[in-house]
Amino acid sequence: MDLQQVKQRFGIVGSSPMLNNALETAIKVAPTDMNVLINGESGVGKESFSKIIHQLSGRKHAPFIAVNCGAIPEGTIDSELFGHEKGAFTGATDKRKGYFETVNGGTIFLDEVGELPLGTQARLLRILENGEFIKVGSSVVQKTDVRVVAATNRDLLERATNGKFREDLYYRLATVPIRVPKLSERKEDIYLLFRKFSADFSETHRSPMMELTPDAQQLLMAYPWPGNVRQLKNITEQICVLESDNLIHADTFRKYLPPVPSGLPVLLGKGDAYSDGMSERDIFYKVLIELRRDVNDLKKVVFGLLDGNAEMPSNSIPVTNSTAMKMPQDNNLLSSGAEYKHQAETPVILNPTAMDEDEPEFVDAETFHHIPIDDLSLEAQELEMIKKALTKNKGRRKKAAQDLGISERTLYRKIKQYELD
Ligand SMILES: Nc1ncnc2c1ncn2[C@@H]1O[C@H](COP(=O)(O)OP(=O)(O)OP(=O)(O)O)[C@@H](O)[C@H]1O
Ligand SMILES: [Mg+2]
């Protein structure tokens, strides 16, 4: 069965290379008896992979069972998986077969395998190694032939370092690892999935199929979908049921998208980062301007200090790379004693007296102090930008301040400072 047929048969939508890759691995490994560990965030579609692997294997006529290891209480999980003898524990009035016995010849899908208690992990390892298991409360070793496909949304190796997951079991389960990509890693699939789900739900709920306006489509694409395909599916259904108009605008769509916690400044209002992709850049730009302003202020303080304390040597001190205080050319990022990392796009000051040395890369603080400060490039640029903004806005300070991304008050201060009025 080829990739397209598999997608069709299992209702899998998407054509991103990462998804195709994962599916191709599943198709290849299915007819073997190898154990497979499917890894991926919640809601990416791991369960479908386990079904594909079973259905395309020689075990397809034997039973398949999916066990959610995270949902079974610790006290009963051994009994569920491996069975128990009569009287093995209070309440064990009868002997019972476990899944590993009933599924003999078939496939067990162990979902959320990272949640298995350590004792159960030891039993599972034994089954994977030689097919042997012992019922709870028994001493008889039994044999079974079960293929294990496991899934997790956790980093099992990290859990292994914390002593929560057996490393040997990890390597046994992950004979073939398959990573199912997050939805945000396969943006090209988002719209396809939305179309599929809206078609499905319009049929289920007997409503006309939803359409997205272009800006709603942009929002759909830009949203990070932390709950992956499941979240997209749920939200599509919610909108399908709750909205009476089948043409969905961005404003309507946005109401259904929960804010995403993130370290970055993402706004969830009108004109937010999702709607036009510009605001985030604007925010960064403003942050940079603020930072530059702070650096300028800091610079003044430092120069003030140097002016107050330092006696100026009559000659520049020769450069020695070992003792040099490294600093960038534009003099604005004055490194405070710590080494400034020299980067290609941040050239350093060339000490005029050391021009003909082999590597006249850095100057020390005192030499630096010798360089006249009245033509610092950033200050000159700032002045230039303010002049430009004022000219462009015909002297209207409010507009100019907006263009510059600074407050009107700061602009007034700058105008005074540069004696522009
Ligand atoms: N590529 C896809 N095409 C169509 N439907 C998909 C696709 N991927 C996932 N789904 C659907 O999304 C939902 C969530 O998928 P699934 O339950 O397999 O996620 P999961 O990775 O097992 O998540 P969890 O770790 O939370 O169990 C299911 O209803 C599934 O049918
Ligand atoms: Mg699942």
Side-chain angles (χ1 to χ4, degrees), residues 87-115:
F89 46 85
T90 336
T93 48
D94 272 318
K95 74 188 251 178
R96 178 188 184 277
K97 284 185 182 173
Y99 300 133
F100 274 98
E101 193 173 346
T102 50
V103 172
N104 193 3
T107 310
I108 284 191
F109 174 48
L110 295 179
D111 204 359
E112 295 189 36
V113 73
E115 308 307 314

PDB file of all heavy atoms in Angstrom, residues 87-115:
ATOM      1  N   GLY A  87      -7.747 -14.666  44.197  1.00  0.00           N
ATOM      2  CA  GLY A  87      -7.232 -14.388  45.543  1.00  0.00           C
ATOM      3  C   GLY A  87      -5.884 -13.675  45.558  1.00  0.00           C
ATOM      4  O   GLY A  87      -5.242 -13.546  46.599  1.00  0.00           O
ATOM      5  N   ALA A  88      -5.460 -13.174  44.384  1.00  0.00           N
ATOM      6  CA  ALA A  88      -4.156 -12.491  44.318  1.00  0.00           C
ATOM      7  C   ALA A  88      -4.152 -11.230  45.173  1.00  0.00           C
ATOM      8  O   ALA A  88      -3.128 -10.831  45.717  1.00  0.00           O
ATOM      9  CB  ALA A  88      -3.814 -12.145  42.868  1.00  0.00           C
ATOM     10  N   PHE A  89      -5.301 -10.595  45.276  1.00  0.00           N
ATOM     11  CA  PHE A  89      -5.425  -9.399  46.132  1.00  0.00           C
ATOM     12  C   PHE A  89      -6.879  -9.305  46.562  1.00  0.00           C
ATOM     13  O   PHE A  89      -7.744 -10.010  46.013  1.00  0.00           O
ATOM     14  CB  PHE A  89      -4.983  -8.121  45.403  1.00  0.00           C
ATOM     15  CG  PHE A  89      -5.550  -7.998  44.008  1.00  0.00           C
ATOM     16  CD1 PHE A  89      -6.811  -7.457  43.788  1.00  0.00           C
ATOM     17  CD2 PHE A  89      -4.803  -8.436  42.898  1.00  0.00           C
ATOM     18  CE1 PHE A  89      -7.326  -7.352  42.504  1.00  0.00           C
ATOM     19  CE2 PHE A  89      -5.316  -8.328  41.619  1.00  0.00           C
ATOM     20  CZ  PHE A  89      -6.586  -7.787  41.410  1.00  0.00           C
ATOM     21  N   THR A  90      -7.156  -8.434  47.522  1.00  0.00           N
ATOM     22  CA  THR A  90      -8.527  -8.307  47.997  1.00  0.00           C
ATOM     23  C   THR A  90      -9.432  -7.939  46.817  1.00  0.00           C
ATOM     24  O   THR A  90      -9.146  -7.014  46.087  1.00  0.00           O
ATOM     25  CB  THR A  90      -8.626  -7.176  49.054  1.00  0.00           C
ATOM     26  OG1 THR A  90      -7.339  -6.997  49.635  1.00  0.00           O
ATOM     27  CG2 THR A  90      -9.653  -7.472  50.100  1.00  0.00           C
ATOM     28  N   GLY A  91     -10.481  -8.681  46.657  1.00  0.00           N
ATOM     29  CA  GLY A  91     -11.405  -8.391  45.533  1.00  0.00           C
ATOM     30  C   GLY A  91     -11.143  -9.259  44.316  1.00  0.00           C
ATOM     31  O   GLY A  91     -11.955  -9.284  43.393  1.00  0.00           O
ATOM     32  N   ALA A  92     -10.017  -9.984  44.309  1.00  0.00           N
ATOM     33  CA  ALA A  92      -9.749 -10.865  43.162  1.00  0.00           C
ATOM     34  C   ALA A  92     -10.461 -12.190  43.389  1.00  0.00           C
ATOM     35  O   ALA A  92      -9.865 -13.180  43.793  1.00  0.00           O
ATOM     36  CB  ALA A  92      -8.235 -11.066  42.995  1.00  0.00           C
ATOM     37  N   THR A  93     -11.785 -12.152  43.118  1.00  0.00           N
ATOM     38  CA  THR A  93     -12.585 -13.333  43.416  1.00  0.00           C
ATOM     39  C   THR A  93     -12.436 -14.410  42.361  1.00  0.00           C
ATOM     40  O   THR A  93     -12.767 -15.571  42.587  1.00  0.00           O
ATOM     41  CB  THR A  93     -14.076 -12.946  43.553  1.00  0.00           C
ATOM     42  OG1 THR A  93     -14.403 -12.123  42.433  1.00  0.00           O
ATOM     43  CG2 THR A  93     -14.352 -12.186  44.838  1.00  0.00           C
ATOM     44  N   ASP A  94     -11.985 -13.996  41.178  1.00  0.00           N
ATOM     45  CA  ASP A  94     -11.769 -14.939  40.084  1.00  0.00           C
ATOM     46  C   ASP A  94     -10.422 -14.705  39.453  1.00  0.00           C
ATOM     47  O   ASP A  94      -9.868 -13.621  39.573  1.00  0.00           O
ATOM     48  CB  ASP A  94     -12.840 -14.722  39.004  1.00  0.00           C
ATOM     49  CG  ASP A  94     -14.066 -15.549  39.281  1.00  0.00           C
ATOM     50  OD1 ASP A  94     -13.902 -16.722  39.672  1.00  0.00           O
ATOM     51  OD2 ASP A  94     -15.182 -14.993  39.127  1.00  0.00           O
ATOM     52  N   LYS A  95      -9.952 -15.747  38.732  1.00  0.00           N
ATOM     53  CA  LYS A  95      -8.735 -15.475  37.980  1.00  0.00           C
ATOM     54  C   LYS A  95      -9.113 -14.727  36.705  1.00  0.00           C
ATOM     55  O   LYS A  95     -10.256 -14.818  36.232  1.00  0.00           O
ATOM     56  CB  LYS A  95      -7.947 -16.765  37.699  1.00  0.00           C
ATOM     57  CG  LYS A  95      -8.511 -17.679  36.646  1.00  0.00           C
ATOM     58  CD  LYS A  95      -7.710 -18.954  36.653  1.00  0.00           C
ATOM     59  CE  LYS A  95      -6.834 -19.075  35.414  1.00  0.00           C
ATOM     60  NZ  LYS A  95      -6.020 -20.302  35.465  1.00  0.00           N
ATOM     61  N   ARG A  96      -8.204 -13.942  36.195  1.00  0.00           N
ATOM     62  CA  ARG A  96      -8.526 -13.086  35.058  1.00  0.00           C
ATOM     63  C   ARG A  96      -7.349 -13.050  34.096  1.00  0.00           C
ATOM     64  O   ARG A  96      -6.197 -13.016  34.505  1.00  0.00           O
ATOM     65  CB  ARG A  96      -8.811 -11.677  35.584  1.00  0.00           C
ATOM     66  CG  ARG A  96      -9.128 -10.650  34.522  1.00  0.00           C
ATOM     67  CD  ARG A  96      -9.186  -9.255  35.149  1.00  0.00           C
ATOM     68  NE  ARG A  96      -9.594  -8.252  34.170  1.00  0.00           N
ATOM     69  CZ  ARG A  96      -8.755  -7.689  33.327  1.00  0.00           C
ATOM     70  NH1 ARG A  96      -7.483  -8.008  33.305  1.00  0.00           N
ATOM     71  NH2 ARG A  96      -9.215  -6.782  32.478  1.00  0.00           N
ATOM     72  N   LYS A  97      -7.677 -13.045  32.808  1.00  0.00           N
ATOM     73  CA  LYS A  97      -6.624 -12.915  31.799  1.00  0.00           C
ATOM     74  C   LYS A  97      -6.311 -11.436  31.584  1.00  0.00           C
ATOM     75  O   LYS A  97      -7.212 -10.603  31.588  1.00  0.00           O
ATOM     76  CB  LYS A  97      -7.095 -13.508  30.466  1.00  0.00           C
ATOM     77  CG  LYS A  97      -7.101 -15.018  30.421  1.00  0.00           C
ATOM     78  CD  LYS A  97      -7.470 -15.456  29.019  1.00  0.00           C
ATOM     79  CE  LYS A  97      -7.540 -16.984  28.941  1.00  0.00           C
ATOM     80  NZ  LYS A  97      -8.048 -17.442  27.641  1.00  0.00           N
ATOM     81  N   GLY A  98      -5.063 -11.163  31.361  1.00  0.00           N
ATOM     82  CA  GLY A  98      -4.669  -9.780  31.055  1.00  0.00           C
ATOM     83  C   GLY A  98      -4.618  -9.561  29.546  1.00  0.00           C
ATOM     84  O   GLY A  98      -4.734 -10.514  28.766  1.00  0.00           O
ATOM     85  N   TYR A  99      -4.447  -8.299  29.151  1.00  0.00           N
ATOM     86  CA  TYR A  99      -4.426  -7.987  27.714  1.00  0.00           C
ATOM     87  C   TYR A  99      -3.327  -8.741  26.965  1.00  0.00           C
ATOM     88  O   TYR A  99      -3.509  -9.141  25.831  1.00  0.00           O
ATOM     89  CB  TYR A  99      -4.249  -6.483  27.481  1.00  0.00           C
ATOM     90  CG  TYR A  99      -5.347  -5.639  28.096  1.00  0.00           C
ATOM     91  CD1 TYR A  99      -5.050  -4.502  28.842  1.00  0.00           C
ATOM     92  CD2 TYR A  99      -6.681  -5.993  27.930  1.00  0.00           C
ATOM     93  CE1 TYR A  99      -6.040  -3.721  29.397  1.00  0.00           C
ATOM     94  CE2 TYR A  99      -7.695  -5.213  28.492  1.00  0.00           C
ATOM     95  CZ  TYR A  99      -7.363  -4.084  29.228  1.00  0.00           C
ATOM     96  OH  TYR A  99      -8.354  -3.339  29.787  1.00  0.00           O
ATOM     97  N   PHE A 100      -2.182  -8.921  27.611  1.00  0.00           N
ATOM     98  CA  PHE A 100      -1.082  -9.577  26.910  1.00  0.00           C
ATOM     99  C   PHE A 100      -1.405 -11.040  26.598  1.00  0.00           C
ATOM    100  O   PHE A 100      -0.835 -11.624  25.698  1.00  0.00           O
ATOM    101  CB  PHE A 100       0.232  -9.455  27.700  1.00  0.00           C
ATOM    102  CG  PHE A 100       0.945  -8.170  27.404  1.00  0.00           C
ATOM    103  CD1 PHE A 100       0.825  -7.072  28.248  1.00  0.00           C
ATOM    104  CD2 PHE A 100       1.735  -8.047  26.263  1.00  0.00           C
ATOM    105  CE1 PHE A 100       1.479  -5.877  27.955  1.00  0.00           C
ATOM    106  CE2 PHE A 100       2.377  -6.855  25.965  1.00  0.00           C
ATOM    107  CZ  PHE A 100       2.244  -5.767  26.816  1.00  0.00           C
ATOM    108  N   GLU A 101      -2.344 -11.601  27.368  1.00  0.00           N
ATOM    109  CA  GLU A 101      -2.744 -12.977  27.082  1.00  0.00           C
ATOM    110  C   GLU A 101      -3.853 -13.008  26.021  1.00  0.00           C
ATOM    111  O   GLU A 101      -3.783 -13.784  25.057  1.00  0.00           O
ATOM    112  CB  GLU A 101      -3.228 -13.655  28.373  1.00  0.00           C
ATOM    113  CG  GLU A 101      -3.372 -15.155  28.234  1.00  0.00           C
ATOM    114  CD  GLU A 101      -3.689 -15.830  29.575  1.00  0.00           C
ATOM    115  OE1 GLU A 101      -3.534 -15.202  30.647  1.00  0.00           O
ATOM    116  OE2 GLU A 101      -4.093 -17.009  29.545  1.00  0.00           O
ATOM    117  N   THR A 102      -4.838 -12.121  26.169  1.00  0.00           N
ATOM    118  CA  THR A 102      -5.976 -12.161  25.233  1.00  0.00           C
ATOM    119  C   THR A 102      -5.581 -11.695  23.828  1.00  0.00           C
ATOM    120  O   THR A 102      -6.184 -12.101  22.846  1.00  0.00           O
ATOM    121  CB  THR A 102      -7.151 -11.290  25.733  1.00  0.00           C
ATOM    122  OG1 THR A 102      -6.640 -10.018  26.069  1.00  0.00           O
ATOM    123  CG2 THR A 102      -7.805 -11.889  26.948  1.00  0.00           C
ATOM    124  N   VAL A 103      -4.592 -10.833  23.751  1.00  0.00           N
ATOM    125  CA  VAL A 103      -4.207 -10.277  22.455  1.00  0.00           C
ATOM    126  C   VAL A 103      -3.143 -11.158  21.782  1.00  0.00           C
ATOM    127  O   VAL A 103      -2.639 -10.818  20.719  1.00  0.00           O
ATOM    128  CB  VAL A 103      -3.755  -8.805  22.655  1.00  0.00           C
ATOM    129  CG1 VAL A 103      -3.156  -8.208  21.409  1.00  0.00           C
ATOM    130  CG2 VAL A 103      -4.945  -7.957  23.076  1.00  0.00           C
ATOM    131  N   ASN A 104      -2.851 -12.277  22.361  1.00  0.00           N
ATOM    132  CA  ASN A 104      -1.822 -13.178  21.821  1.00  0.00           C
ATOM    133  C   ASN A 104      -1.934 -13.276  20.282  1.00  0.00           C
ATOM    134  O   ASN A 104      -2.991 -13.583  19.757  1.00  0.00           O
ATOM    135  CB  ASN A 104      -2.007 -14.557  22.466  1.00  0.00           C
ATOM    136  CG  ASN A 104      -0.799 -15.455  22.207  1.00  0.00           C
ATOM    137  OD1 ASN A 104       0.194 -15.022  21.602  1.00  0.00           O
ATOM    138  ND2 ASN A 104      -0.872 -16.697  22.659  1.00  0.00           N
ATOM    139  N   GLY A 105      -0.839 -12.990  19.604  1.00  0.00           N
ATOM    140  CA  GLY A 105      -0.856 -13.014  18.130  1.00  0.00           C
ATOM    141  C   GLY A 105      -1.124 -11.647  17.517  1.00  0.00           C
ATOM    142  O   GLY A 105      -0.917 -11.439  16.318  1.00  0.00           O
ATOM    143  N   GLY A 106      -1.596 -10.699  18.318  1.00  0.00           N
ATOM    144  CA  GLY A 106      -1.958  -9.386  17.782  1.00  0.00           C
ATOM    145  C   GLY A 106      -1.027  -8.262  18.221  1.00  0.00           C
ATOM    146  O   GLY A 106       0.162  -8.471  18.478  1.00  0.00           O
ATOM    147  N   THR A 107      -1.599  -7.074  18.319  1.00  0.00           N
ATOM    148  CA  THR A 107      -0.812  -5.874  18.634  1.00  0.00           C
ATOM    149  C   THR A 107      -1.416  -5.151  19.827  1.00  0.00           C
ATOM    150  O   THR A 107      -2.633  -4.994  19.914  1.00  0.00           O
ATOM    151  CB  THR A 107      -0.828  -4.890  17.430  1.00  0.00           C
ATOM    152  OG1 THR A 107      -0.487  -5.601  16.248  1.00  0.00           O
ATOM    153  CG2 THR A 107       0.125  -3.729  17.641  1.00  0.00           C
ATOM    154  N   ILE A 108      -0.567  -4.717  20.730  1.00  0.00           N
ATOM    155  CA  ILE A 108      -1.031  -3.856  21.831  1.00  0.00           C
ATOM    156  C   ILE A 108      -0.471  -2.460  21.615  1.00  0.00           C
ATOM    157  O   ILE A 108       0.723  -2.296  21.347  1.00  0.00           O
ATOM    158  CB  ILE A 108      -0.564  -4.395  23.211  1.00  0.00           C
ATOM    159  CG1 ILE A 108      -1.416  -5.596  23.620  1.00  0.00           C
ATOM    160  CG2 ILE A 108      -0.674  -3.306  24.267  1.00  0.00           C
ATOM    161  CD1 ILE A 108      -1.216  -6.017  25.073  1.00  0.00           C
ATOM    162  N   PHE A 109      -1.359  -1.488  21.677  1.00  0.00           N
ATOM    163  CA  PHE A 109      -0.911  -0.101  21.596  1.00  0.00           C
ATOM    164  C   PHE A 109      -0.877   0.463  23.015  1.00  0.00           C
ATOM    165  O   PHE A 109      -1.911   0.610  23.651  1.00  0.00           O
ATOM    166  CB  PHE A 109      -1.861   0.706  20.706  1.00  0.00           C
ATOM    167  CG  PHE A 109      -1.560   2.172  20.678  1.00  0.00           C
ATOM    168  CD1 PHE A 109      -0.267   2.647  20.481  1.00  0.00           C
ATOM    169  CD2 PHE A 109      -2.585   3.110  20.837  1.00  0.00           C
ATOM    170  CE1 PHE A 109       0.006   4.002  20.451  1.00  0.00           C
ATOM    171  CE2 PHE A 109      -2.320   4.471  20.804  1.00  0.00           C
ATOM    172  CZ  PHE A 109      -1.021   4.914  20.617  1.00  0.00           C
ATOM    173  N   LEU A 110       0.315   0.725  23.510  1.00  0.00           N
ATOM    174  CA  LEU A 110       0.455   1.279  24.854  1.00  0.00           C
ATOM    175  C   LEU A 110       0.587   2.795  24.749  1.00  0.00           C
ATOM    176  O   LEU A 110       1.668   3.331  24.512  1.00  0.00           O
ATOM    177  CB  LEU A 110       1.683   0.694  25.552  1.00  0.00           C
ATOM    178  CG  LEU A 110       1.654  -0.803  25.859  1.00  0.00           C
ATOM    179  CD1 LEU A 110       2.955  -1.234  26.539  1.00  0.00           C
ATOM    180  CD2 LEU A 110       0.454  -1.153  26.760  1.00  0.00           C
ATOM    181  N   ASP A 111      -0.563   3.457  24.913  1.00  0.00           N
ATOM    182  CA  ASP A 111      -0.568   4.914  24.825  1.00  0.00           C
ATOM    183  C   ASP A 111      -0.100   5.490  26.158  1.00  0.00           C
ATOM    184  O   ASP A 111      -0.335   4.893  27.205  1.00  0.00           O
ATOM    185  CB  ASP A 111      -1.997   5.368  24.506  1.00  0.00           C
ATOM    186  CG  ASP A 111      -2.011   6.726  23.828  1.00  0.00           C
ATOM    187  OD1 ASP A 111      -0.935   7.308  23.624  1.00  0.00           O
ATOM    188  OD2 ASP A 111      -3.120   7.198  23.497  1.00  0.00           O
ATOM    189  N   GLU A 112       0.566   6.637  26.088  1.00  0.00           N
ATOM    190  CA  GLU A 112       1.123   7.289  27.284  1.00  0.00           C
ATOM    191  C   GLU A 112       1.992   6.326  28.081  1.00  0.00           C
ATOM    192  O   GLU A 112       1.877   6.215  29.306  1.00  0.00           O
ATOM    193  CB  GLU A 112       0.013   7.857  28.163  1.00  0.00           C
ATOM    194  CG  GLU A 112      -0.746   8.983  27.478  1.00  0.00           C
ATOM    195  CD  GLU A 112      -1.702   9.698  28.413  1.00  0.00           C
ATOM    196  OE1 GLU A 112      -1.353   9.856  29.598  1.00  0.00           O
ATOM    197  OE2 GLU A 112      -2.780  10.074  27.961  1.00  0.00           O
ATOM    198  N   VAL A 113       2.852   5.629  27.380  1.00  0.00           N
ATOM    199  CA  VAL A 113       3.661   4.578  28.001  1.00  0.00           C
ATOM    200  C   VAL A 113       4.579   5.130  29.102  1.00  0.00           C
ATOM    201  O   VAL A 113       4.966   4.411  30.028  1.00  0.00           O
ATOM    202  CB  VAL A 113       4.468   3.814  26.914  1.00  0.00           C
ATOM    203  CG1 VAL A 113       5.604   4.653  26.370  1.00  0.00           C
ATOM    204  CG2 VAL A 113       4.963   2.481  27.415  1.00  0.00           C
ATOM    205  N   GLY A 114       4.879   6.421  29.013  1.00  0.00           N
ATOM    206  CA  GLY A 114       5.745   7.056  30.017  1.00  0.00           C
ATOM    207  C   GLY A 114       5.130   7.060  31.407  1.00  0.00           C
ATOM    208  O   GLY A 114       5.820   7.279  32.405  1.00  0.00           O
ATOM    209  N   GLU A 115       3.814   6.829  31.481  1.00  0.00           N
ATOM    210  CA  GLU A 115       3.125   6.865  32.774  1.00  0.00           C
ATOM    211  C   GLU A 115       3.150   5.522  33.502  1.00  0.00           C
ATOM    212  O   GLU A 115       2.640   5.415  34.622  1.00  0.00           O
ATOM    213  CB  GLU A 115       1.660   7.284  32.594  1.00  0.00           C
ATOM    214  CG  GLU A 115       1.446   8.562  31.793  1.00  0.00           C
ATOM    215  CD  GLU A 115       2.244   9.724  32.332  1.00  0.00           C
ATOM    216  OE1 GLU A 115       2.230   9.918  33.560  1.00  0.00           O
ATOM    217  OE2 GLU A 115       2.899  10.408  31.523  1.00  0.00           O
TER     218      GLU A 115
END
